[in-house]
Amino acid sequence: MDAVRLIVTSRRALAGSGGTPEMLTEVWQAQALAQAIGSRLAVAGPPELRGEALGLTELAGRGCGVLDTPRLATEDLRAAQLTELGDARQALVCLGGLLGEVGMALVGLACASDDESTYWQCMESIDAADESRDRVQQMLRRLADREEELPREGTRLQGVALPETARKEEALPEEIVPEREAG
């Protein structure tokens, strides 16, 4: 299944979770999914993301490790259902949102918890989710930097063709005036 669809499913399940055990299961599922996405990006993602993706894999793995492992059937593991990333940028944007929601859910859970063990699991998992989200944000910045560096298709700056919408000289700074086409 596509990464974005799995993330949307996780967001809905997290929002719909009721008690503490169910919510912790959904947090674990989200962290495991982040780990799987990080692993997939580290192996087959854009080259500039691979180091950060490996870090995401490790951080999300830590997020899973601090929580009690839920008893789930293999077919219920969302991370195991990941078959393709799709658009890396879209997957990362959605994953960042999921990890933010995980952090907020854990804060609420920690504040309401009377059990010290659950409280500390939540605190450790909050740190892991926050650091994982930071890593996702770094990867999104790298993708944005890459997009800025790549010349746009059909543009010609200083000898490169510009699309029709940017051919008007007044629309461009003086140093980026298109060459006049022979007509």
Side-chain angles (χ1 to χ4, degrees), residues 3 8 41 44 54 73 80 112 142 160-162 181:
V8 169
L41 282 168
L54 187 57
R142 285 186 189 257
V160 180
L162 288 167
E181 293 181 10

Side-chain angles (χ1 to χ4, degrees), residues 1-159:
M1 188 181 297
D2 172 81
V4 172
R5 286 180 57 201
L6 287 168
I7 293 167
V8 169
T9 300
S10 285
R11 289 177 92 165
R12 287 182 183 147
L14 181 65
S17 60
T20 300
E22 186 180 345
M23 186 172 291
L24 288 175
T25 296
E26 292 307 325
V27 166
W28 188 92
Q29 286 262 43
Q31 290 282 19
L33 183 56
Q35 185 179 23
I37 291 170
S39 179
R40 185 68 60 99
L41 282 168
V43 171
E48 62 271 30
L49 299 185
R50 291 184 180 161
E52 298 293 338
L54 187 57
L56 172 62
T57 301
E58 293 170 4
L59 290 166
R62 191 183 88 206
C64 288
V66 299
L67 297 172
D68 293 333
T69 304
R71 295 181 191 270
L72 295 169
T74 305
E75 62 271 6
D76 294 332
L77 295 172
R78 286 187 206 105
Q81 297 172 23
L82 180 65
T83 56
E84 65 178 283
L85 281 175
D87 177 48
R89 183 185 178 292
Q90 184 181 14
L92 289 169
V93 167
C94 292
L95 182 59
L98 173 62
L99 291 168
E101 291 172 11
V102 162
M104 289 187 285
L106 286 165
V107 167
L109 195 57
C111 290
S113 178
D114 293 332
D115 177 33
E116 191 172 332
S117 173
T118 301
Y119 173 82
W120 286 111
Q121 281 184 21
C122 289
M123 297 310 287
E124 290 292 324
S125 192
I126 289 167
D127 286 344
D130 188 46
E131 290 178 34
S132 294
R133 188 168 186 266
D134 288 346
R135 197 59 62 114
V136 167
Q137 295 300 321
Q138 289 172 357
M139 286 189 280
L140 285 168
R141 280 191 289 278
R142 285 186 189 257
L143 283 176
D145 290 346
R146 180 183 77 167
E147 289 172 6
E148 287 178 9
E149 291 173 5
L150 295 174
R152 289 187 190 99
E153 187 177 320
T155 63
R156 186 165 87 188
L157 303 178
Q158 299 175 359

